[in-house]
């Protein structure tokens, strides 16, 4: 996934009037006084702006060349959109109005209008685009291109590549994540076993963190102080101090990790794990980030070859894409149990998920 930090609420601005009290209110009758106070009371957000918000999870279906939208309230597929060849990663704009899909087979980025679920633009990027991360302000999208060891920077207002970063990018860039303040973008380099740090002000590499065996996916804590990176070569998750850019902990998992999902409060980290044998179901590790250890493993109702894992927009559900079973396992973070397995409408080889879900509001 992956990637994404995830993170995203679109809140309407509410105009609140200030209540002013004068001595003249004392001479009003109780009925008139109550009416006056009611008139001066602030309008509720619902009356100020009449909006309806829905929550979705988008999933790429790699073998079908499609992306599907799942309504997280009903846990059902409500739309499927044809995109490019072999779609992998999927990222949503902070306001939920656009969804970006990296297509590895034809080196493109599909831009999907989430209101209409139609492709509104196709952008040529680098070779074998794998994942993407959007800045908190929604203006720039960073795409990792695994084959040519580069990162494409996309202007989301013009849907065009404004620059391509090559200097300092390691071999096989995969996972990518933005810091909460939008000043840094982190790239996991699988073959170089490293993490690249990019300044979003200059779009240049400003640092490299080494010795992350097979670095693949990234999550950044809500306060920006910690970076979590999967290290499949060591069957572990590596914890990095973002300020000092040093590895401060390694959490063993016993199996090869694929993707990460960090809870909105940053206290729990979910890790999708491959099974020792490809014909066996995978599992999910639940890490207590305060203690730095695995609390438990979720095994029941997990499918084959689990790939991306992501929280929904409200933080109340965790979705897991089972690429080998063509299904989505839905986990309750309260109980750490699978509550539903979605199969109807899910395409072939579901892979990427929108990190943090999609909250889409309509007036």
């Amino acid at each position: 996934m992956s990637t994404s930090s995830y993170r995203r609420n679109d809140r309407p601005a509410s105009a609140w009037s200030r209540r002013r009290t004068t001595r003249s209110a004392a001479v009003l009758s109780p009925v008139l006084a109550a009416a006056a106070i009611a008139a001066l009371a602030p309008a509720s957000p619902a009356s100020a702006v009449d909006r309806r918000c829905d929550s979705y999870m988008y999933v790429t279906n790699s073998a079908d060349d499609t992306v599907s939208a799942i309504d997280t309230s009903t846990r059902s597929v409500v739309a499927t959109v044809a995109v490019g060849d072999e779609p992998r990663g999927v990222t949503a704009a902070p306001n939920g109005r656009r969804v970006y899909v990296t297509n590895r087979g034809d080196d493109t980025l599909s831009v999907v209008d989430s209101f209409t679920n139609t492709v509104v633009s196709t952008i040529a990027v680098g070779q074998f685009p794998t994942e993407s991360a959007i800045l908190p302000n929604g203006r720039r999208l960073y795409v990792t291109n695994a084959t040519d060891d580069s990162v494409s920077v996309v202007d989301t207002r013009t849907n065009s590549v404004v620059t391509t970063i090559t200097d300092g990018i390691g071999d096989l860039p995969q996972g990518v994540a933005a810091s909460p303040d939008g000043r840094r973008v982190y790239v996991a380099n699988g073959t170089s076993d490293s993490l690249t740090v990019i300044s979003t002000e200059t779009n240049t590499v400003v640092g490299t963190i080494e010795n992350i065996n097979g670095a693949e996916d990234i999550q950044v804590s809500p306060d920006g102080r910690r970076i979590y990176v999967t290290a499949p070569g060591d069957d572990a998750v590596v914890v990095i101090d973002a300020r000092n850019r040093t590895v401060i902990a390694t959490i063993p998992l016993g199996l090869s990790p694929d993707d990460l999902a960090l809870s909105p409060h940053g206290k729990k980290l979910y890790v999708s794990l491959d099974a020792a044998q490809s014909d066996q179901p995978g599992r999910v590790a639940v890490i207590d980030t305060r203690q730095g250890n695995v609390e438990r493993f979720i095994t029941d109702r997990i499918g084959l070859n689990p790939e991306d894992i992501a929280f929904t927009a409200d933080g109340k559900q965790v979705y897991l894409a089972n690429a080998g079973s063509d299904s989505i396992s839905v986990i309750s973070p309260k109980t750490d149990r699978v509550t539903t397995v979605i199969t109807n409408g899910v395409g072939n080889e579901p892979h990427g998920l929108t990190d943090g879900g999609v909250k889409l509001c309509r007036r």
Side-chain angles (χ1 to χ4, degrees):
M1 140 194 101
S2 308
T3 68
S4 209
S5 303
Y6 296 47
R7 331 193 170 82
R8 306 161 179 122
N9 284 329
D10 183 27
R11 296 187 177 90
S14 301
W16 295 88
S17 58
R18 293 184 176 274
R19 192 176 294 180
R20 302 180 65 180
T21 305
T22 64
R23 291 185 179 181
S24 60
V27 298
L28 296 175
S29 68
V31 173
L32 291 176
I37 293 172
L40 291 171
S44 66
S47 62
V49 180
D50 185 16
R51 305 209 316 169
R52 177 175 65 87
C53 295
D54 298 303
S55 177
Y56 300 96
M57 181 66 72
Y58 280 75
V59 53
T60 56
N61 306 304
S62 293
D64 288 344
D65 301 338
T66 62
V67 60
S68 297
I70 300 173
D71 185 324
T72 61
S73 63
T74 62
R75 299 174 181 175
S76 59
V77 174
V78 294
T80 297
V81 185
V83 288
D85 184 21
E86 197 182 344
R88 171 55 179 90
V90 57
T91 299
N95 62 14
R97 296 174 183 175
R98 291 288 186 269
V99 172
Y100 303 91
V101 181
T102 51
N103 304 303
R104 296 186 295 188
D106 58 14
D107 303 336
T108 63
L109 180 76
S110 296
V111 184
V112 177
D113 183 323
S114 52
F115 282 112
T116 61
N117 282 314
T118 56
V119 174
V120 295
S121 183
T122 301
I123 306 167
V125 289
Q127 295 178 14
F128 212 69
T130 302
E131 298 288 350
S132 65
I134 197 164
L135 298 186
N137 63 15
R139 295 177 181 176
R140 291 286 189 272
L141 183 82
Y142 290 74
V143 180
T144 54
N145 305 305
T147 300
D148 59 9
D149 302 336
S150 69
V151 174
S152 299
V153 184
V154 177
D155 184 324
T156 58
R157 291 167 292 187
T158 62
N159 287 332
S160 61
V161 175
V162 293
T163 190
T164 300
I165 306 169
T166 56
D167 290 344
I169 303 298
D171 295 336
L172 195 67
Q174 302 179 92
V176 57
S179 62
D181 61 9
R183 297 177 61 189
R184 296 287 185 265
V185 164
Y186 304 101
V187 177
N189 306 300
T191 304
S192 296
D193 301 332
S194 64
L195 189 75
T196 297
V197 184
I198 296 171
S199 165
T200 59
E201 182 179 359
T202 61
N203 284 324
T204 58
V205 172
V206 294
T208 302
I209 303 163
E210 306 284 355
N211 300 318
I212 307 169
N213 198 349
E216 185 170 349
D217 192 46
I218 310 168
Q219 286 283 303
V220 183
S221 64
D223 60 10
R225 296 180 180 180
R226 296 287 182 267
I227 307 167
Y228 302 94
V229 187
T230 55
D234 289 332
D235 293 345
V237 167
V238 169
V239 186
I240 296 169
D241 183 307
R243 182 176 180 180
N244 298 324
R245 298 176 188 168
T246 56
V247 174
I248 57 174
T250 299
I251 304 171
L253 300 168
L255 291 170
S256 178
D258 187 86
D259 199 61
L260 301 171
L262 187 63
S263 62
H265 49 58
K267 297 177 181 177
K268 295 175 75 173
L269 183 69
Y270 290 75
V271 190
S272 60
L273 302 172
D274 292 327
Q277 303 293 329
S278 61
D279 60 348
Q280 296 177 351
R283 59 178 60 189
V284 172
V286 184
I287 294 174
D288 182 332
T289 59
R290 294 164 296 182
Q291 299 297 322
N293 56 26
V294 176
E295 283 188 329
R296 62 183 60 86
F297 290 98
I298 304 171
T299 57
D300 188 38
R301 304 175 76 185
I302 303 296
L304 300 175
N305 190 22
E307 292 285 348
D308 277 17
I309 188 167
F311 272 85
T312 54
D314 59 8
K316 295 181 179 179
Q317 302 175 68
V318 179
Y319 276 53
L320 173 69
N322 302 304
S325 300
D326 297 339
S327 65
I328 306 291
S329 297
V330 182
I331 300 167
S332 166
K334 285 186 176 181
T335 62
D336 287 335
R337 293 182 178 179
V338 174
T339 58
T340 305
V341 177
I342 305 170
T343 55
N344 291 337
V346 177
N348 289 320
E349 293 185 22
H351 208 133
L353 296 168
T354 39
D355 201 11
V358 178
K359 183 179 180 181
L360 187 60
C361 297
R362 299 174 173 86
R363 292 191 179 184

